[in-house]
Coordinates of all heavy atoms in Angstrom, one line a residue:
A1 N 116.2 116.6 93.9 CA 116.8 117.5 93.0 C 115.8 118.4 92.3 O 116.1 119.5 91.8 CB 117.8 116.9 92.0
I2 N 114.6 117.9 92.2 CA 113.5 118.6 91.6 C 113.0 119.7 92.6 O 112.8 119.4 93.8 CB 112.3 117.7 91.2 CG1 112.8 116.8 90.1 CG2 111.1 118.4 90.8 CD1 111.8 115.6 89.9
P3 N 112.7 121.0 92.3 CA 112.2 121.9 93.2 C 111.0 121.5 94.0 O 110.0 121.2 93.4 CB 111.9 123.1 92.3 CG 112.7 122.9 91.1 CD 112.9 121.5 90.9
G4 N 111.1 121.5 95.3 CA 110.0 121.2 96.1 C 109.7 119.7 96.3 O 108.6 119.4 96.9
A5 N 110.4 118.8 95.7 CA 110.1 117.4 95.7 C 110.4 116.8 97.0 O 111.1 117.4 97.9 CB 110.9 116.7 94.6
E6 N 109.8 115.7 97.2 CA 109.9 114.9 98.5 C 111.3 114.6 98.8 O 112.1 114.1 98.0 CB 109.0 113.7 98.4 CG 108.9 112.9 99.8 CD 107.9 111.8 99.7 OE1 107.4 111.5 98.6 OE2 107.6 111.2 100.7
D7 N 111.7 114.8 100.1 CA 113.0 114.5 100.5 C 113.4 113.0 100.2 O 112.6 112.1 100.5 CB 113.2 114.8 102.0 CG 114.6 114.5 102.5 OD1 115.5 115.3 102.3 OD2 114.7 113.4 103.2
R8 N 114.6 112.8 99.8 CA 115.1 111.5 99.5 C 114.9 110.4 100.6 O 114.3 109.4 100.5 CB 116.5 111.5 99.0 CG 117.1 110.2 98.6 CD 118.1 109.6 99.6 NE 118.7 108.4 99.2 CZ 119.5 107.7 99.9 NH1 119.6 107.9 101.2 NH2 120.0 106.5 99.4
D9 N 115.4 110.8 101.8 CA 115.3 109.9 102.9 C 113.9 109.7 103.4 O 113.5 108.6 103.8 CB 116.2 110.4 104.0 CG 117.7 110.4 103.7 OD1 118.1 109.6 102.8 OD2 118.5 111.2 104.3
V10 N 113.1 110.8 103.4 CA 111.7 110.7 103.8 C 111.0 109.7 102.9 O 110.2 108.9 103.4 CB 111.0 112.1 103.8 CG1 109.5 112.0 104.0 CG2 111.7 113.0 104.9
F11 N 111.2 109.8 101.6 CA 110.5 109.0 100.6 C 110.8 107.5 100.9 O 110.0 106.6 101.0 CB 110.8 109.4 99.2 CG 110.4 108.5 98.1 CD1 109.0 108.1 98.1 CD2 111.2 108.0 97.2 CE1 108.5 107.3 97.1 CE2 110.7 107.2 96.2 CZ 109.4 106.9 96.1
R12 N 112.2 107.2 101.0 CA 112.5 105.8 101.1 C 112.1 105.3 102.5 O 111.7 104.1 102.5 CB 114.1 105.8 101.1 CG 114.6 106.0 99.6 CD 116.1 106.3 99.5 NE 116.8 105.1 99.9 CZ 117.2 104.1 99.1 NH1 116.8 104.2 97.8 NH2 118.0 103.1 99.5
E13 N 112.1 106.0 103.5 CA 111.6 105.6 104.8 C 110.1 105.3 104.8 O 109.6 104.3 105.3 CB 111.9 106.6 105.9 CG 113.4 106.7 106.3 CD 113.7 107.9 107.1 OE1 112.7 108.6 107.5 OE2 114.9 108.2 107.4
R14 N 109.4 106.2 104.0 CA 107.9 105.9 103.9 C 107.7 104.6 103.2 O 106.8 103.9 103.5 CB 107.3 107.2 103.2 CG 105.9 106.9 102.7 CD 105.3 108.2 102.2 NE 105.9 108.8 101.0 CZ 105.6 108.4 99.7 NH1 104.9 107.3 99.5 NH2 106.1 109.0 98.7
V15 N 108.3 104.5 102.1 CA 108.1 103.2 101.3 C 108.4 102.0 102.1 O 107.6 101.0 102.1 CB 108.9 103.3 100.0 CG1 108.9 101.9 99.3 CG2 108.4 104.3 99.0
L16 N 109.5 102.0 102.7 CA 109.9 100.8 103.5 C 108.9 100.6 104.6 O 108.5 99.4 105.0 CB 111.3 100.9 104.0 CG 111.8 99.7 104.8 CD1 111.8 98.4 104.0 CD2 113.2 100.0 105.3
R17 N 108.5 101.6 105.3 CA 107.5 101.6 106.3 C 106.2 100.9 105.8 O 105.6 100.0 106.5 CB 107.2 102.9 107.0 CG 106.2 102.9 108.1 CD 106.1 104.3 108.7 NE 105.6 105.3 107.8 CZ 106.3 106.4 107.4 NH1 107.5 106.6 107.8 NH2 105.7 107.3 106.6
G18 N 105.7 101.4 104.7 CA 104.5 100.8 104.1 C 104.6 99.3 103.8 O 103.7 98.5 104.2
F19 N 105.7 98.9 103.2 CA 105.8 97.5 102.9 C 106.1 96.6 104.0 O 105.6 95.5 104.1 CB 106.9 97.3 101.8 CG 106.5 97.6 100.4 CD1 106.6 98.9 99.8 CD2 105.9 96.6 99.6 CE1 106.1 99.2 98.6 CE2 105.4 96.9 98.4 CZ 105.6 98.2 97.8
T20 N 106.8 97.2 105.0 CA 107.0 96.4 106.2 C 105.7 96.2 107.0 O 105.4 95.1 107.5 CB 108.0 97.2 107.2 OG1 109.2 97.3 106.5 CG2 108.2 96.4 108.5
R21 N 104.8 97.2 107.0 CA 103.5 97.1 107.7 C 102.7 96.0 107.0 O 102.0 95.2 107.6 CB 102.8 98.5 107.7 CG 101.5 98.4 108.4 CD 100.9 99.8 108.6 NE 100.8 100.6 107.4 CZ 101.6 101.7 107.2 NH1 102.5 102.1 108.1 NH2 101.5 102.3 106.0
I22 N 102.7 96.0 105.6 CA 102.0 95.1 104.9 C 102.5 93.7 105.2 O 101.7 92.7 105.4 CB 102.0 95.4 103.4 CG1 101.3 96.7 103.1 CG2 101.5 94.2 102.6 CD1 101.5 97.2 101.6
A23 N 103.8 93.5 105.1 CA 104.4 92.2 105.5 C 104.1 91.7 106.9 O 103.8 90.6 107.1 CB 105.9 92.3 105.3
D24 N 104.1 92.6 107.8 CA 103.7 92.3 109.2 C 102.3 91.7 109.3 O 102.0 90.9 110.1 CB 103.9 93.5 110.1 CG 105.4 93.8 110.4 OD1 106.3 93.0 110.1 OD2 105.6 95.0 110.9
A25 N 101.5 92.3 108.5 CA 100.0 91.9 108.5 C 99.8 90.5 107.8 O 98.7 90.0 108.0 CB 99.1 93.0 107.9
H26 N 100.8 90.0 107.1 CA 100.5 88.8 106.3 C 101.7 87.8 106.4 O 102.3 87.4 105.4 CB 100.3 89.2 104.8 CG 99.1 90.1 104.6 ND1 97.8 89.6 104.6 CD2 99.0 91.4 104.6 CE1 96.9 90.6 104.5 NE2 97.6 91.7 104.4
P27 N 102.0 87.3 107.6 CA 103.0 86.2 107.7 C 102.6 85.0 106.9 O 101.4 84.6 107.0 CB 103.1 86.0 109.2 CG 101.8 86.4 109.8 CD 101.3 87.5 108.9
D28 N 103.5 84.4 106.2 CA 103.3 83.2 105.4 C 102.2 83.3 104.4 O 101.5 82.4 104.0 CB 103.0 82.0 106.4 CG 104.1 81.6 107.2 OD1 105.3 81.6 106.7 OD2 103.9 81.3 108.4
E29 N 102.0 84.6 103.9 CA 100.9 84.8 102.9 C 101.5 85.5 101.7 O 102.5 86.2 101.8 CB 99.8 85.6 103.5 CG 99.0 84.8 104.5 CD 97.8 85.5 105.1 OE1 97.9 86.8 105.1 OE2 96.8 84.9 105.4
Q30 N 100.8 85.4 100.6 CA 101.1 86.2 99.4 C 100.1 87.4 99.3 O 98.9 87.1 99.6 CB 101.1 85.4 98.1 CG 102.1 84.3 98.0 CD 102.0 83.6 96.7 OE1 101.2 83.9 95.9 NE2 102.8 82.6 96.5
V31 N 100.5 88.6 99.0 CA 99.7 89.7 98.7 C 100.1 90.4 97.4 O 101.3 90.3 97.1 CB 99.7 90.6 99.9 CG1 99.3 90.0 101.2 CG2 101.1 91.3 100.1
A32 N 99.2 91.1 96.9 CA 99.5 91.8 95.7 C 99.4 93.3 96.0 O 98.4 93.8 96.7 CB 98.4 91.5 94.5
V33 N 100.4 94.1 95.7 CA 100.5 95.5 96.0 C 100.6 96.3 94.7 O 101.6 96.1 94.0 CB 101.7 95.8 96.9 CG1 101.7 97.2 97.4 CG2 101.7 94.8 98.2
V34 N 99.6 97.1 94.4 CA 99.6 97.8 93.2 C 100.2 99.2 93.4 O 99.5 100.0 94.1 CB 98.2 97.8 92.6 CG1 98.2 98.5 91.2 CG2 97.6 96.4 92.4
V35 N 101.4 99.5 92.9 CA 102.0 100.8 93.2 C 102.6 101.4 91.9 O 102.2 101.1 90.8 CB 103.1 100.5 94.3 CG1 102.5 100.2 95.6 CG2 104.1 99.4 93.8
H36 N 103.5 102.3 92.1 CA 104.0 103.2 91.1 C 105.5 102.9 90.8 O 106.2 102.3 91.7 CB 103.9 104.6 91.5 CG 102.5 104.9 91.9 ND1 101.5 105.4 91.1 CD2 101.9 104.8 93.1 CE1 100.3 105.6 91.8 NE2 100.6 105.2 93.0
G37 N 106.0 103.4 89.7 CA 107.4 103.1 89.3 C 108.4 103.6 90.2 O 109.4 102.9 90.6
G38 N 108.2 104.8 90.8 CA 109.2 105.4 91.8 C 109.2 104.6 93.0 O 110.2 104.3 93.7
V39 N 108.0 104.1 93.5 CA 108.0 103.3 94.7 C 108.6 102.0 94.5 O 109.4 101.5 95.4 CB 106.5 103.1 95.1 CG1 106.3 102.1 96.2 CG2 105.8 104.4 95.4
I40 N 108.4 101.3 93.3 CA 109.1 100.0 93.1 C 110.6 100.2 93.1 O 111.3 99.5 93.6 CB 108.6 99.5 91.7 CG1 107.1 99.0 91.8 CG2 109.5 98.3 91.3 CD1 106.5 98.7 90.5
G41 N 111.0 101.3 92.4 CA 112.5 101.5 92.3 C 113.1 101.8 93.7 O 114.1 101.2 94.0
A42 N 112.4 102.5 94.6 CA 112.9 102.7 96.0 C 112.9 101.5 96.7 O 113.9 101.2 97.4 CB 112.0 103.8 96.6

């Protein structure tokens, strides 16, 4: 809704893609991911 901001679906797909890739790289492991408030919310 903000002028020129990232598309809602593009943002959510990107976030899920990133966390899925991280999860795929670490089966049965704990990792720490330092991110931002909007990313956490998504």
Side-chain angles (χ1 to χ4, degrees):
I2 296 170
E6 187 171 7
D7 177 80
R8 180 253 188 195
D9 294 334
V10 170
F11 173 53
R12 289 166 67 86
E13 290 169 5
R14 167 169 68 79
V15 168
L16 184 59
R17 181 173 64 243
F19 279 92
T20 298
R21 181 169 55 247
I22 292 170
D24 286 345
H26 298 280
D28 290 321
E29 292 181 329
Q30 293 182 3
V31 300
V33 186
V34 185
V35 290
H36 310 267
V39 172
I40 292 170

